[in-house]
């Protein structure tokens, strides 16, 4: 992932039926905190995904480790939290949205 990109982050092989989700959050924390919830999280059979905007990836510091995690509560009240995933952001020479 690089500053200025519009990446789609997809979580697959989930231990629950995505049709049974009552609440969902996708957290991306670095120098800036970005959170997605509700309709911002695309639900497909067996996967969840979010797409960041150029402005969101530009707001992330390329010298800070990025942490990503999903949190879900299903209709029966069961809560799931993924392991925290880590990545870095590639630097963009000119910080602008094109």
């Amino acid at each position: 992932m690089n500053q200025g990109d519009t990446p789609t982050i997809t979580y697959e092989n989930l231990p629950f039926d995505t049709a049974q989700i009552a609440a969902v959050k996708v957290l991306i924390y670095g120098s800036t905190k970005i959170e997605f919830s509700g309709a911002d999280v695309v639900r497909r059979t067996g996967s969840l995904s979010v797409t960041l905007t150029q402005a969101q990836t530009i707001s992330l510091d390329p010298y800070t480790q990025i942490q990503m995690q999903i949190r879900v509560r299903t209709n029966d009240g069961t809560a799931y939290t993924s392991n925290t995933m880590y990545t870095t952001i590639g630097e963009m020479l000119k910080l602008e949205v094109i």
Side-chain angles (χ1 to χ4, degrees):
M1 184 167 26
N2 294 303
Q3 287 180 315
D5 286 353
T6 57
T8 298
I9 299 168
T10 302
Y11 298 90
E12 298 177 321
N13 302 316
L14 303 170
F16 50 83
D17 180 355
T18 55
Q20 297 301 313
I21 293 175
V24 60
K25 282 193 174 201
V26 176
L27 313 170
I28 301 171
Y29 287 4
S31 53
T32 302
K33 292 183 178 183
I34 302 169
E35 296 186 7
F36 296 89
S37 61
D40 295 330
V41 180
V42 176
R43 302 174 194 189
R44 292 192 178 87
T45 302
S47 72
L48 298 171
S49 63
V50 295
T51 300
L52 283 77
T53 66
Q54 289 185 63
Q56 287 170 321
T57 57
I58 287 171
S59 75
L60 296 168
D61 187 343
Y63 303 108
T64 303
Q65 189 173 56
I66 306 303
Q67 300 172 318
M68 298 181 289
Q69 186 174 65
I70 60 171
R71 302 217 42 226
V72 169
R73 181 176 43 81
T74 58
N75 292 329
D76 68 3
T78 304
Y80 296 89
T81 301
S82 73
N83 291 330
T84 302
M85 293 166 274
Y86 300 90
T87 190
T88 56
I89 298 293
E91 186 174 15
M92 189 166 83
L93 295 178
K94 186 173 182 181
L95 296 177
E96 67 178 352
V97 173
I98 60 171

